Amino acid sequence: MREGKGLPNLPKARMIARLSQQALSDEVGITRAAISRIEQGHNDPTLKTVFAIMHALAKRGVAVSVEFLSDYPTGRHPDDYLTKGTHPALREESD
């Protein structure tokens, strides 16, 4: 895989969200093969696709940043950009 291509951390986020490539592709509106190519770094997703992927993950309680998905070199560990169950839209209301 070439540096800076695709979303190399997407498989990890997808597994935490318990989404198959097919389920994610159905939600995002692209093919399963396109998800595979994005994960492998063969294709760069459009910004619209990145946001659709982030939204699909967030609906399942996995909030990610673009830095996490793209493995952007910030000097931080990728898991610093991943939070499970903390997306504001998914928090349960307290009584």
Side-chain angles (χ1 to χ4, degrees):
M1 182 171 78
R2 293 175 291 201
E3 183 83 28
K5 296 295 254 173
L7 301 176
N9 289 320
L10 178 55
K12 182 175 185 175
R14 200 171 40 74
M15 291 299 151
I16 293 168
R18 297 183 180 197
L19 280 171
S20 65
Q21 285 183 338
Q22 186 63 55
L24 181 60
S25 71
D26 290 345
E27 182 120 4
V28 172
I30 61 177
T31 66
R32 188 213 49 82
I35 293 288
S36 178
R37 287 191 303 271
I38 290 168
E39 289 182 351
Q40 294 174 21
H42 299 301
N43 283 41
D44 279 330
T46 63
L47 190 55
K48 179 181 175 182
T49 298
V50 171
F51 285 137
I53 288 169
M54 291 171 70
H55 180 73
L57 294 169
K59 284 174 39 179
R60 284 157 184 82
V62 179
V64 296
S65 68
V66 173
E67 291 85 0
F68 172 80
L69 289 174
S70 65
D71 203 18
Y72 185 75
T74 61
R76 293 175 64 188
H77 190 277
D79 288 349
D80 291 344
Y81 298 103
L82 176 69
T83 51
K84 174 73 172 134
T86 58
H87 191 274
L90 298 171
R91 291 188 188 136
E92 293 183 9
E93 295 288 329
S94 57
D95 294 317

